[in-house]
Amino acid sequence: MAFFGDLVRCETRLYNALNDQLRSRHGITASQFEFLRHLRDHPGARVGDLAEFFAIGVGATSKGMDRLEARGWIRRTPNPADRRSSLLELTDTGTALANAAETTFTAISTLIQAALAPEQLQAAAQALQQLRTTLEHHKTGTPAG
């Protein structure tokens, strides 16, 4: 139980710190940054792809994309393979924002590096990667909609 509590509290504090810095420096939230970064690195993703990757509902993901599109950071193009879906890509403005916000994200990661020795950080990263892989393999925590 202590491990779970520590894991959740660390994630919450790091996410809040990132969110505060992204808001003040770039006018975006941490979740918007995560969407922008993912789309920068995976152009042509669909809403369903993002929902699966982030383990959130399709409806919430679609609303998030609506907000990014309204701000001119992404565009939707028809999916030639499936008329029911769109392909998502960053606009030039969205790409510039994702790249600028990446520096803030990198600066926040120094909090982790300052708290852990390199071998501890490597062991923690490996343990979390293994845990995530297992959870995803068993579809644990996947939203229903």
Side-chain angles (χ1 to χ4, degrees):
M1 292 302 290
F3 174 80
F4 182 81
D6 288 342
L7 180 65
V8 170
R9 296 303 143 318
C10 286
E11 186 276 338
T12 300
R13 288 179 181 276
L14 289 168
Y15 199 85
N16 289 345
L18 176 62
N19 199 54
D20 291 347
Q21 291 295 315
L22 288 170
R23 277 186 191 272
S24 69
R25 294 181 184 173
H26 308 284
I28 62 174
T29 64
S31 61
Q32 289 171 325
F33 168 68
E34 288 191 277
F35 283 147
L36 291 172
R37 186 172 60 160
H38 188 80
L39 289 173
R40 181 195 62 198
D41 299 341
H42 302 90
R46 298 168 302 135
V47 166
D49 299 330
L50 274 86
E52 181 179 345
F53 180 79
F54 290 109
I56 57 177
V58 171
T61 306
S62 183
K63 286 180 184 178
M65 293 306 101
D66 291 344
R67 290 183 193 105
L68 297 181
E69 186 176 32
R71 296 188 78 177
W73 298 337
I74 70 159
R75 71 178 137 260
R76 298 173 196 242
T77 59
N79 184 347
D82 181 359
R83 293 184 354 206
R84 297 170 296 159
S85 70
S86 298
L87 303 178
L88 306 167
E89 62 184 9
L90 294 182
T91 62
D92 290 342
T93 304
T95 299
L97 178 58
N99 291 340
E102 187 88 42
T103 61
T104 300
F105 174 75
T106 302
I108 289 292
S109 71
T110 60
L111 293 171
I112 300 168
Q113 293 168 347
L116 300 174
E119 62 275 1
Q120 291 174 307
L121 183 57
Q122 183 177 0
Q126 289 173 340
L128 289 173
Q129 211 300 315
Q130 182 178 347
L131 177 59
R132 179 179 176 178
T133 298
T134 300
L135 294 171
E136 288 175 352
H137 175 75
H138 294 290
K139 302 205 181 308
T140 303
T142 302

